[in-house]
Amino acid sequence: MNAGLRPIRSYVLRQGRVSPAQQRAFETLWPRWGLSYAPGPLSPAEWTSLFGREAPLVLEIGFGMGEGTVAVARGLPHINFVAVDVHMPGIGSLLKQIGEAGLENVRVMRHDAVDVVEHMIAPGTLDGVHIFFPDPWPKARHHKRRLIQPAFAELLASRLKPGGTLHLATDWEDYAIQMLSVLRAVPALRNTVADYAPRPDYRPLTKFEQRGLRLGHGVWDLVFRKL
Ligand SMILES: C[S@@+](CC[C@H](N)C(=O)[O-])C[C@H]1O[C@@H](n2cnc3c(N)ncnc32)[C@H](O)[C@@H]1O
């Protein structure tokens, strides 16, 4: 990792209980849908061959249990998705859902997305980046662990193609404010709206989010475009 990027990780690797179904999904489906980390950028031809077709490429960082990933990938079948997380139960859960749905347009990675973006994705490769509800790290002394920081935002922008979009969502107002100020400071990015964007149709409303909205909690979407 270069000096500009945080040596501090945005997650804590918890053991987490992997259910027998998640473990089985991992063993049987990883060979078909998993993508192992390698510290060198994939060429456009390698991305095409990985998916068996040429299509716009969107990176999702931090998919949790993967319900959102599956909904988005089903709704946007013309897009190739690379979904990255570090959390083993979630990897098993997403693979299981992909297998059940027979989704051809998703590949799953188990690795720190900061390394993936820095080392596996060449500049100007991505048509989009989705980061939905990244860990909020609410305590002030943990804010340094938040994923959306100036150096990482610059790195993400460099990996987007001109016209590509960076879509973030959070339900923590102070993190939304931080996201807005961090993204606004990246010269290669432009906000698509004045500040927070309406939720794009492709991002499904999760149960958790519906409940939060009923309780009067806010959700903030940010959609920036690469110049
Ligand atoms: C709060 S969860 C949100 C999950 C999901 N996007 C949702 O909306 O329900 C954040 C996820 O980001 C993952 N995460 C955090 N830092 C990461 C990193 N550097 N690389 C990959 N995944 C990361 C965590 O493991 C966790 O699953």
Side-chain angles (χ1 to χ4, degrees), residues 39-59:
L42 269 68
S43 66
E46 285 169 318
W47 286 114
T48 300
S49 115
L50 178 72
F51 285 92
R53 66 170 186 177
E54 203 178 326
L57 184 64
V58 170
L59 172 72

Side-chain angles (χ1 to χ4, degrees), residues 10-11 62-64 84-87 111-114 132-135 147:
S10 56
Y11 56 87
F63 55 76
V84 186
D85 206 299
V86 289
H87 189 47
H111 200 83
D112 187 333
V114 177
F132 300 152
F133 305 98
D135 297 296
L147 193 58

Side-chain angles (χ1 to χ4, degrees), residues 24-41:
R24 214 167 30 247
F26 183 74
E27 282 159 15
T28 56
L29 302 176
W30 178 265
R32 168 73 183 80
W33 277 283
L35 171 61
S36 297
Y37 174 75

Side-chain angles (χ1 to χ4, degrees), residues 119-141:
H119 299 295
M120 266 184 95
I121 298 179
T125 297
L126 299 172
D127 294 273
V129 176
H130 293 172
I131 309 179
F132 300 152
F133 305 98
D135 297 296
W137 294 107
K139 292 183 182 149
R141 69 171 193 281

